[in-house]
Amino acid sequence: MKAFSYERASTVEGAAKAAAQTPNAKFIAGGTNLLDLMKLEIETPSHLIDVNGLGLDTIEKTAEGGIRIGALVRNTDLAADNSVRRDYGLLSRALVAGASGQLRNRATTAGNLLQRTRCPYFYDSNQPCNKRQPGTGCSAIGGVTRQLGVVGVSDACIATHPSDMAVAMRALDAVIETIKPDGAKRAIPIADFHRLPGDTPHIETALDHGELITSVVLPAPIGGKHIYRKTRDRASYAFALVSVAAVIQADGRGKVAVGGVAPKPWRAEAAEDELRKGAHALASALLADARPTQQNDFKISLTERTLSAVLAEARG
Amino acid sequence: MQFDTPATSNPIDQLKVVGKPIHRIDGELKTTGRAMYAYEWYDPAVRYAYGYPVGAAIAKGHVIFIDSAAAKTAPGVLGVVTTLDVGDLEKGKLNTAKLFGGSEIQHYHQAIAVVVAETFEQACAAAALIKVEYAAEKGAFDLRAEMTHARTPDPSTEPDSSAGDFQAAFDTAAVTLDAEYSTPDQSHSMMEPHASIAAWDGDKVTVWTSSQMIDWWRTDLATTLGIDKEHVHLMSPFIGGGFGGKLFLRADAVLAALAAKAIGRPVKVALPRPMIPNNTTHRPATIQRIRIGAEHDGKITAIAHESWSGDLPGGGPETAVMQTRLLYAGENRMTAMKLATLDLPEGNAMRAPGEAPGLMALEIAIDEMSEKLGIDPIEFRIKNDTQVDPENPERPFSHRDLVGCLTLGAEKFGWAERARPGARRQGNWLVGIGVAAAFRNNLVMPSGARVKLDRDGVVTVETDMTDIGTGSYTIIAQTAAEMMGVGMDKVAVQLGDSRFPVSAGSGGQFGANSATSGVYAACVKLREAVSSKLGFNSADVVFENGDVRSGNRIVPLAEAAGEDGLVGEDTMEWGDLTKTHQQSTFGAHFVEVGVDIATGETRIRRMLAVCAAGRILNPITARSQVIGAMTMGAGGALSEELAVDTRHGFFVNHDLAGYEVPVHADIPHQEVIFMDETDPYSSPMKAKGVGELGLCGVSAAIANAIYNATGVRVRHYPITLDKLIGDLPDVA
Ligand SMILES: Cc1cc2nc3c(=O)[nH]c(=O)nc-3n(C[C@H](O)[C@H](O)[C@H](O)COP(=O)(O)OP(=O)(O)OC[C@H]3O[C@@H](n4cnc5c(N)ncnc54)[C@H](O)[C@@H]3O)c2cc1C
Ligand code: SF4
């Protein structure tokens, strides 16, 4: 780990401003991802701004009937919140499918959205990696790729975004609210928040430097059956091979996002027209542009099979 | 003491303390954090410095230049020792790959430098500043690609065996099976990383480390450092797991010793978790071919098992065919091992080396064969049971109750309810049960101990035996208490120190039986010393309730010890009973799994192991060993695989996030039953090993349960969902 300086921010504006002052500064929330990456020198911030003192840890009703989730609400608290469990069961289920109890107690809403990939080559600083060191090449392509992405990937990077929470939020049409160092606020629909790798896999989100996430807003509840299904190699404490977040209405229409297959939570609103035709049609539409490797080709059929299990559960 | 005739009755048979379910005596120290592990050793008077290792970024070639200038001037840095600075060091006798020294790189993450600083963070940060220039060479990294170049290994590994005429019998057999299986490279993944603290005093060095085998480490560390063995003092009182990964000297001890010498202060070095899988040893992958021929009635007439594995030059094969020489009858047989040269990290022992991967294959083959024959797999195994070594029928087993394990297990587990493959469905789960035999040889090793009796009547055992979490402290205390006729509260046990008599150490499931036998021998000496001091005729002396009694004379042990106390010391040596009699342990694993019909995810529901392993010295610690092993076997069956990058030659998933060992949610109800038996051929304790038996066969039982659940036969481990979903029923 590289030596760094550290400060505790006490206001939202102050935090964003402080970040802008040091080019290499980072916010730290739960630290469950950032610290691990710093220990391996994959992240090497020279300055940390601790945002744990900003408040931002409440869940409030919005005027539109939805909820506003503070950026620092812990994953455990979010999953256990009564309104979330009642109206956005999908989100609760996705959260508890992730990490472990100890990690969820620390992990925050914003930190979870911004967690970085689990590509094993990204973690080994001896290996070239375009995401870690732009322009050095991608070691994963042609190597061990079983866990990696099948759709939305590029020749520069085939890593996935590993979050469970974000997949549920994508299906729920969440909006991410931020504040910039100059005090300007904006609201970014989650569809636009994570970026596809293209030639610049190191740029992962729409955030500018120093831009602080303050909250995540969910629109008014839409009812329906809320299902989160995560397939993985062991029963707990493993990242998804494929996960499906779905809200299915009684008439068979619904919203579906898929995790574990792409550099971002994967959803195609147009594909949802296929929903009533069944899992095969939906999966084909969602993964139309897939370009799997030999090792992760199984994710195509696994996506379809997981979708069919979810649709069966929705009917059942 | 020489053990060369079967044990008759002896004080252990009283079973007042031995055989009792006594909780581990070091448990409180561990649960309260007071048991000091290697890296935690702490003397407030000492200023420890922290060493951080640097691993090679290539798999094969040479280090040309190491630029440590920036590291040396980084904050807090006290020194940098590089592999080029120290030059070639003599390799420990038991190491295949060299640990440090010289320019040659034999495998990825081989240690090439250690950076020492005032704090751990400073050492770690400075280590990242080291720049290395390499001359990389092409290597061989893919076992399958190298199979055709594999050769018969050194005759000392006994690579081939045969009896009768396998080929002729196989060609004419009524029913045959010819199938290929594979097992991946596996990592020990013990909780406690490899760690050492070294402190020099003149030309003598003291090393606190995490070692299963004190004397092996001491010898090889002295060799590597080029110093007299007497000048090395090694201590390893507590060990957070080893599984074979700490059998042989490792780089942390060498780096700590060299760094401490270089900076003139005690230095701590731990291997960072992501460095462990490639820096240390692993269980090598295997490709296995099994052929079985049988009569229609289920009698095996021909059986052959061949195995291919790879290792660095000078290494050995994974001995995956060994159990097939002994487990089932059959007049015509052959086994063969082939070894390929691979430039991956060193392959070496991991819990139940040979048998664990060997049974992963063999016990699927037996399941397949019984299906072909239309015979229940338990019945098929019983039909081919043997009470003699099938390759040398004049050699009987000392005691063998595989049949008892299978039948008792079948009854307890509800085997009779087994359905046809793919026929049992509960909701979205395909449910199945599977069985496999467990088999592991009982090895014995010379083992010494010193037992002291003091004026308070306290018995203190000293031996360099290790407790790697197995319960050695406890069973050794039980042995001494039984022998000396005192309660557990009057026994103290000191382990893991090279100043104590050399013991068996922990490995090959030989530790418990051998080390307690060493304590037995030392206690016999102490009993003689007590008797002779009191002028008793040792033949009719009774040690009981803290007293020693002869006829109607009773003397408290404390009084017998006197002011100066008494000492007994001896080493148990083994005659040729292991040659005249085949000594093995047996068991049967039963597993129920559910396989998700849509996703192919396998979740274990129930596990039962029935073990026949001689006298059980302590049913609590023995059970812990078996359930731990069953858990390890669940990982081996379902998720554990070191993924090889065959282009660059390293294990890619080299941390505990990528290498998936089972978590609690993976492990359901586990039950263990021990057969009530003794084996007088094994030792005066009449006990055998049990620490590895629990792993042997369990993965195959899971594989067979998956087959029974789904009708899909997977012969290549781990059985991950991608190997199943293509053949599962359509769910759309
Ligand atoms: C062993 C392990 C297993 C895991 N398994 C899973 C899993 O199965 N599923 C899953 O979804 N996740 C999993 N995780 C990831 C876990 O969910 C994340 O580590 C966690 O959500 C990150 O939250 P944090 O608050 O600790 O973030 P931090 O580590 O504090 O920060 C992460 C990033 O977010 C930035 N950041 C934090 N807050 C803000 C803010 N308000 N505004 C702008 N930027 C901010 C930081 O600068 C940093 O770049 C696992 C993690 C571990 C260690
Ligand atoms: S897939 Fe992406 S993260 Fe992985 S090595 Fe390639 S560039 Fe790096």
Side-chain angles (χ1 to χ4, degrees), chain B residues 17 153 295 321 336 444-445 492 576 587-588 592 621 655 666:
Chain B
V17 197
E295 310 280 1
V321 306
V444 286
M445 292 273 278
D576 62 1
E592 181 177 273
T621 54
D655 58 30
D666 291 303

Side-chain angles (χ1 to χ4, degrees), chain B residues 102-305:
Chain B
S103 67
E104 189 194 357
I105 298 299
Q106 293 179 293
H107 63 89
Y108 195 71
H109 276 173
Q110 178 180 316
I112 55 168
V114 57
V115 178
V116 192
E118 292 288 356
T119 69
F120 173 81
E121 287 74 17
Q122 288 169 333
C124 174
L129 299 174
I130 296 219
K131 295 209 170 56
V132 188
E133 197 184 312
Y134 299 97
E137 287 164 28
K138 267 181 79 100
F141 308 120
D142 184 350
L143 176 61
R144 193 162 288 279
E146 299 303 317
M147 251 176 108
T148 49
H149 310 303
R151 283 195 296 257
T152 298
D154 189 280
S156 68
T157 62
E158 300 176 31
D160 299 304
S161 74
S162 65
D165 183 344
F166 166 75
Q167 195 62 53
F170 185 72
D171 290 345
T172 56
V175 180
T176 60
L177 169 89
D178 182 351
E180 189 197 276
Y181 306 84
S182 67
T183 61
D185 296 287
Q186 294 181 336
S187 182
H188 308 85
S189 298
M190 74 298 286
M191 246 347 193
E192 183 202 21
H194 304 266
S196 297
I197 302 177
W200 289 85
D201 179 8
D203 56 359
K204 297 196 175 77
V205 67
T206 298
V207 181
W208 290 269
T209 192
S210 187
S211 158
Q212 297 176 228
M213 305 292 292
I214 300 295
D215 196 58
W216 290 3
W217 279 59
R218 185 188 189 203
T219 309
D220 277 350
L221 183 59
T223 303
T224 305
L225 297 176
I227 62 174
D228 191 1
K229 180 176 164 183
E230 297 309 313
H231 289 181
V232 177
H233 174 203
L234 207 83
M235 280 194 277
S236 189
F238 295 104
I239 298 138
F243 307 125
K246 295 171 180 170
L247 283 172
F248 315 110
L249 178 68
R250 297 258 51 94
D252 53 297
V254 176
L255 296 178
L258 292 171
K261 183 110 204 168
I263 67 153
R265 262 172 65 182
V267 172
K268 294 184 174 208
V269 178
L271 297 186
R273 181 68 68 180
M275 197 168 155
I276 292 178
N278 286 288
N279 176 268
T280 69
T281 60
H282 63 280
R283 187 202 299 284
T286 65
I287 297 170
Q288 303 178 45
R289 181 187 185 195
I290 295 178
R291 283 171 289 170
I292 303 175
E295 310 280 1
H296 285 296
D297 67 0
K299 194 165 158 273
I300 294 176
T301 53
I303 182 163
H305 192 162

Side-chain angles (χ1 to χ4, degrees), chain B residues 1 3 7 10 12 517 520 572 574 615 682-686:
Chain B
M1 181 181 285
F3 183 74
N10 66 44
I12 297 297
S517 296
Y520 171 94
M572 181 59 82
W574 308 95
R615 171 176 283 153
S682 71
S683 75
M685 305 302 294
K686 303 173 188 168

Side-chain angles (χ1 to χ4, degrees), chain A residues 1-2 39-41 118 120-121 123-124 126-127 139-144 146-147 229-239 241 298 301-302 304-306 308-309, chain B residues 56-57 108-109 121 124-125 128 274 596-599 601 603 638-639 643-645 647-648 650 652 654 656 660-661 663 665-666 720-722 725 728-732:
Chain A
M1 182 167 350
K2 281 214 167 121
K39 287 181 197 166
L40 296 167
E41 296 202 6
R118 293 282 161 173
Y121 294 91
Y123 273 82
D124 187 337
N126 289 329
Q127 305 303 321
S139 308
I141 296 174
V144 175
R146 182 171 178 271
Q147 288 275 351
R229 182 63 194 271
K230 180 176 180 179
T231 64
R232 43 185 154 175
D233 287 323
R234 60 182 173 191
S236 172
Y237 204 40
F239 291 93
L241 293 167
F298 73 93
S301 60
L302 183 61
E304 180 181 329
R305 297 184 73 95
T306 310
S308 72
Chain B
Y108 195 71
H109 276 173
E121 287 74 17
C124 174
D596 188 290
I597 196 166
T599 64
E601 289 164 293
R603 300 290 177 245
L638 299 177
S639 59
V644 183
D645 186 314
R647 305 162 305 171
H648 305 307
F650 69 105
V652 173
H654 50 71
L656 290 179
E660 292 188 5
V661 300
V663 296
D666 291 303
T720 45
L721 57 85
D722 43 308
I725 50 171
L728 291 179
D730 220 357
V731 284

Side-chain angles (χ1 to χ4, degrees), chain B residues 336-404:
Chain B
M337 293 188 277
K338 293 275 191 291
L339 179 63
T341 299
L342 290 182
D343 300 297
L344 290 170
E346 175 178 336
N348 215 319
M350 178 167 144
R351 200 174 196 176
E355 276 100 332
L359 285 162
M360 285 167 89
L362 178 65
E363 287 300 287
I364 296 183
I366 292 291
D367 202 63
E368 294 194 66
M369 194 64 191
S370 60
E371 186 180 35
K372 284 190 173 216
L373 288 159
I375 300 177
D376 178 272
I378 291 180
E379 198 188 318
F380 180 53
R381 287 180 173 91
I382 292 173
K383 200 162 232 152
N384 291 289
D385 188 48
T386 172
Q387 290 295 321
V388 298
D389 171 353
E391 288 182 356
N392 305 288
E394 69 288 353
R395 241 180 115 231
F397 281 94
S398 59
H399 184 80
R400 167 170 169 137
D401 195 12
L402 174 61
V403 172

Side-chain angles (χ1 to χ4, degrees), chain A residues 117 119 121-122 128-131 137-140 148 156-159:
Chain A
T117 186
C119 169
Y121 294 91
F122 174 75
C129 168
N130 287 325
K131 194 186 267 304
C138 170
S139 308
L148 305 189
C157 178
I158 59 170

